[in-house]
Amino acid sequence: PISSGGDEPPGVLVACENARCTEYTETPDVSGALAVAPDGTTYLADQSETMVCDDPTCPDAPTTLNIGGLIAVGEDGLPFFGQDRISSASEGRISVVECLDAACSVTEDTVLEDTTASEGFLPGPAGGPNGPATMVYRLRDPADAEGTTTELVLNVWDDDPAARNRVTLATGQRAGSIFLPLIAAAVGADERPVVMWARRPLSGHATAELVVARCDDRSCDTGTMATVLRGPLQWGFHSIAVGDDGLPVFTYGVRAEGLTGAKTVRATKCTDAGCSKYLSALFRDTLVTYDVAGTPPKLEQTIKLSGAEHDKFERFVFGFTTAVASGDTEESIIKFFELSFIRPSDPVVTSDPNLEG
């Protein structure tokens, strides 16, 4: 795994050295929209320029390309960008810019959408060594505040973006539901695009829905769609990928109380390709320096389920990790393990008195 970002710019690039990321390399002051070519060339793009490293650890000073936007790597191993350009108050466009060589010294710009009479947002590209190139974005007319249909669009193409297949994934009335800036796409080894997005009523964030759609084939003429959860979603922490097993994995952010509560990042793995079932994990730092003699270790975690999550709940998985220095040994004791199901109407308690420890 490779990750780019941080709470404050300029961020950090993290390259894991194994699948579980127990060891990793951090490169400070290097971050941006991330894409990695099959040969290991790593691209990190912002809106105006792109940093290029020879490998994901970025050991040497990166070179800089005078082109930016959201980025992906296509079947040919070359990067392409999604750009939302506004040239004047009355003209705009969503376009894909393809690099025709690794240095992006020659590019080709194809307009996907004329947004003169609309607003285009978040042109998210996706590609890979085994599938088509894609671009997903949302459109709306800024002049009509109530009755206009908001459109979520996916473009799929092989070699020529001009010959793309344009698919409307969903529509929503601005007076009813709108699409949040939480949109991402990926293409798996089966060559089928997968898209995630969130939508909510204008009235609030508590009822936001996270949707995952999977195309039935490479061109995405048909597909399946699943609403995987409802809740107070927070954008800015979202991504989606397809694993070697062909199952989508995605991340998203949640706020405990609308836009003011504590932020939590969750990772969810679909247990079938259409994501009708999934396993979700809550990431939280539980590292504590314990005084074993004076204060025995204690770890407690509360996970709140939405109605949709509760309906799909099938099993509980408990796991833990340990790490010791080379040559040392460690003994772990797990005791007094309790799993309690507390209803919203129950008083706040730390364990269920009807359950034996």
Side-chain angles (χ1 to χ4, degrees), residues 15-36:
C16 300
E17 297 177 12
N18 54 54
R20 295 184 178 273
C21 211
T22 56
E23 297 181 0
Y24 55 87
T25 300
E26 288 188 352
T27 305
D29 302 332
V30 179
S31 67
L34 175 66
V36 182

Side-chain angles (χ1 to χ4, degrees), residues 80 96-98 108-112 133 155-165:
F80 64 97
V96 54
V97 179
E98 299 175 285
E108 186 170 341
D109 191 336
T110 302
V111 177
L112 299 181
N155 290 272
V156 185
W157 68 92
D158 288 322
D159 300 320
D160 183 7
R164 67 195 179 278
N165 188 31

